[in-house]
Amino acid sequence: MSIQIRKARTEDLEELLTLYDAAKAFMEQHGNPHQWTGDDAVTREGLEALIVKDVLFVGEEQGNIRFSFAYILGEDPTYGIIDDGAWLNEEFYGTVHRVASDGSSKGVVKVITQWALEQNPNLRIDTHHDNYVMQKALAKEGFTRCGIIHLANGDP
């Protein structure tokens, strides 16, 4: 896979909205109809805010966006409380959020997590409890389930 990862730009927004809509449809088809609903950050406004903050990235191949994700360094407020477990450490960390792929490339989670680990070797990533596809991909990459976090809207 000859993917180049770069920061998302405002001119990517329409393509990103299409990408996230496709990812939502994929999740619904695979038993996860509740992730990214309501006031989540995969709306136009939410994605624009991530672009402005320079934390939204895309994986591009031959000029086409194949996947997107948010990468944020430092404390994540949603990780302040963890139920049914504990963090592996309390060191400075990066967080990956909002992974979406167009489905054309295999191993996207591997590419994203390897890139993120190059930015900071302490990485946290979470997913919805119904997102079995992502849970399987994260386990394959060696991630350890640490517990249950709650989003700002109260969802686990």
Side-chain angles (χ1 to χ4, degrees):
M1 183 183 323
S2 61
I3 296 280
Q4 300 298 314
I5 293 178
R6 65 166 173 82
K7 287 186 178 178
R9 302 182 291 250
T10 304
E11 55 266 26
D12 298 326
L13 194 54
E14 293 306 318
E15 194 171 354
L16 287 168
L17 287 167
T18 300
L19 178 79
Y20 280 97
D21 283 346
K24 285 191 278 189
F26 176 86
M27 287 190 293
E28 286 178 21
Q29 293 168 359
H30 290 85
N32 183 17
H34 304 293
Q35 191 169 348
W36 295 346
T37 58
D39 60 352
D40 212 336
V42 296
T43 62
R44 175 181 297 276
E45 296 77 18
L47 294 174
E48 284 176 331
L50 294 172
I51 290 170
V52 168
K53 292 178 184 175
D54 282 332
V55 298
L56 191 65
F57 293 83
V58 298
E60 191 173 56
E61 183 178 47
Q62 298 177 342
N64 297 307
I65 294 175
R66 301 295 185 201
F67 59 83
S68 181
F69 63 98
Y71 176 73
I72 303 162
L73 272 173
E75 187 174 330
D76 185 324
T78 60
Y79 293 168
I81 298 173
I82 184 168
D83 294 330
D84 194 30
W87 298 117
L88 300 177
N89 63 59
E90 293 300 324
E91 297 171 19
F92 184 79
Y93 60 93
T95 305
V96 172
H97 287 296
R98 295 171 195 86
V99 174
S101 168
D102 69 359
S104 68
S105 302
K106 298 288 183 198
V108 167
V109 171
K110 180 181 187 116
V111 171
I112 291 170
T113 56
Q114 285 180 342
W115 179 90
L117 287 166
E118 289 172 8
Q119 312 311 303
N120 184 295
N122 195 21
L123 182 62
R124 294 180 184 180
I125 185 168
D126 64 84
T127 192
H128 194 277
H129 58 84
D130 290 337
N131 194 339
Y132 303 113
V133 173
M134 179 61 91
Q135 290 172 31
K136 183 178 177 182
L138 292 172
K140 183 178 177 182
E141 293 310 310
F143 282 83
T144 302
R145 182 187 183 280
C146 293
I148 299 170
I149 57 116
H150 296 272
L151 303 178
N153 67 7
D155 289 348

